[in-house]
Amino acid sequence: MSILSANNIFKRYEDLQVLSGVNFSVEAAKLSAIVGPSGAGKSTLLHILGTLDQSDSGSLSINGLDISNLKGNELARFRNDSIGFIFQFHNLLPEFTAAENISIPAYIKKSNTKEVEKRTTELLSILGLSSRAHHKPGQLSGGEQQRVAVARALMNKPAIVFADEPSGNLDSKNAEELHHLFLKLRDELGQAFVIVTHNEDLAEMADERHEMKDGSLTRI
Ligand code: ADP
Ligand code: ADP
């Protein structure tokens, strides 16, 4: 069964029809890349799939749950528990340490403190950040900051992680490191990723490539 299934998604902004019938599904332990020119609607689609934005029509189910049945707080809770996000700019809270930033989704979920500490330690280790646990974002390199953002996205063991140009702000060495990290998380944790990217290396190493063009996705 698919982790995510989107059918016939439409979205328009005033007189601009951005999405016109997107179909897309995601399987566990797969990395899907979405490519296409600027302005094609990739970010719009990612926001809709990630439940941050609503489509005008179409259906979306995640983990077998029809998202249109969730309202307000229920949807916010579902998003925090089941979906991870990674953006081009890490969006870490500057006054909090790496460990604290990573823990935030678990505290929102009101997870048990001991479990949060255990999970945070585990993620710091998986992402090679153990020696950086108590550093604040300003004391970390760009690559480290983005790895903290990846760890934060993984905190609640999400069904799926969405990333919008995750290596767009990194130099080539850090970008390559991040890409290999995605593959490791896919293989070791079975994590599903949907990644919007202009990076050809990343698109090349994905399990599936989809092109956004004329308002819909085509597998390429
Ligand atoms: P991509 O991620 O492929 O670059 P976007 O999804 O960001 O494309 O944008 C698709 C189109 O929708 C663009 O023409 C953009 O200007 C427009 N757009 C995006 N968000 C909004 C919005 N909130 N209001 C109006 N137009 C928007
Ligand atoms: P990378 O090789 O990942 O590009 P850098 O060369 O930028 O990393 O940084 C190397 C190390 O120096 C990193 O481990 C980072 O923690 C530390 N570092 C980088 N920038 C700063 C900073 N502004 N303040 C304190 N430590 C920093």
Side-chain angles (χ1 to χ4, degrees):
M1 198 184 77
S2 301
I3 287 180
L4 175 150
S5 173
N7 292 293
N8 223 15
I9 302 285
F10 282 73
K11 178 73 174 179
R12 112 184 342 261
Y13 293 117
E14 282 124 40
D15 51 4
L16 182 68
Q17 188 70 46
V18 181
L19 305 178
S20 36
V22 173
N23 294 299
F24 185 61
S25 63
V26 178
E27 310 291 327
K30 292 276 189 246
L31 199 158
S32 302
I34 297 178
V35 302
S38 274
K42 304 181 298 298
S43 295
T44 299
L45 177 63
L46 214 62
H47 285 118
I48 290 171
L49 299 179
T51 78
L52 290 168
D53 199 359
Q54 271 194 317
S55 63
D56 298 331
S57 62
S59 67
L60 173 63
S61 70
I62 299 177
N63 265 350
L65 191 72
D66 181 347
I67 298 307
S68 62
N69 291 334
L70 297 177
K71 300 277 172 279
N73 287 343
E74 274 178 346
L75 183 62
R77 193 176 315 126
F78 173 81
R79 188 187 304 125
N80 182 65
D81 294 357
S82 310
I83 300 177
F85 294 98
I86 302 164
F87 302 99
Q88 179 169 359
F89 300 99
H90 53 74
N91 294 327
L92 300 174
L93 299 176
E95 297 305 320
F96 291 85
T97 66
E100 288 164 347
N101 268 284
I102 292 170
S103 312
I104 290 166
Y107 284 112
I108 293 173
K109 192 179 174 179
K110 300 189 169 64
S111 300
N112 166 287
T113 305
K114 278 273 166 290
E115 279 171 26
V116 178
E117 285 173 2
K118 184 161 165 262
R119 178 73 175 155
T120 302
T121 303
E122 177 182 59
L123 287 169
L124 285 164
S125 165
I126 293 173
L127 297 179
L129 291 166
S130 300
S131 65
R132 296 286 177 264
H134 305 297
H135 290 58
K136 292 183 178 173
Q139 299 170 308
L140 300 173
S141 73
E144 289 169 337
Q145 289 171 352
Q146 196 58 315
R147 297 212 300 282
V148 173
V150 172
R152 180 183 55 184
L154 296 171
M155 183 72 214
N156 288 339
K157 304 187 175 172
I160 185 161
V161 171
F162 294 98
D164 198 347
E165 297 287 2
S167 46
N169 194 38
L170 299 178
D171 61 29
S172 58
K173 175 177 151 278
N174 278 306
E176 197 180 322
E177 248 178 60
L178 184 71
H179 301 159
H180 283 99
L181 194 57
F182 289 143
L183 298 185
K184 172 175 144 164
L185 295 166
R186 176 197 65 185
D187 296 338
E188 292 180 10
L189 306 180
Q191 185 64 56
F193 289 94
V194 176
I195 305 184
V196 165
T197 187
H198 282 112
N199 187 295
E200 288 179 12
D201 293 339
L202 178 54
E204 196 54 47
M205 61 173 68
D207 298 299
E208 295 179 7
R209 280 160 291 282
H210 303 261
E211 185 180 19
M212 176 66 79
K213 204 177 160 193
D214 301 328
S216 67
L217 278 184
T218 314
R219 182 124 180 219
I220 55 170

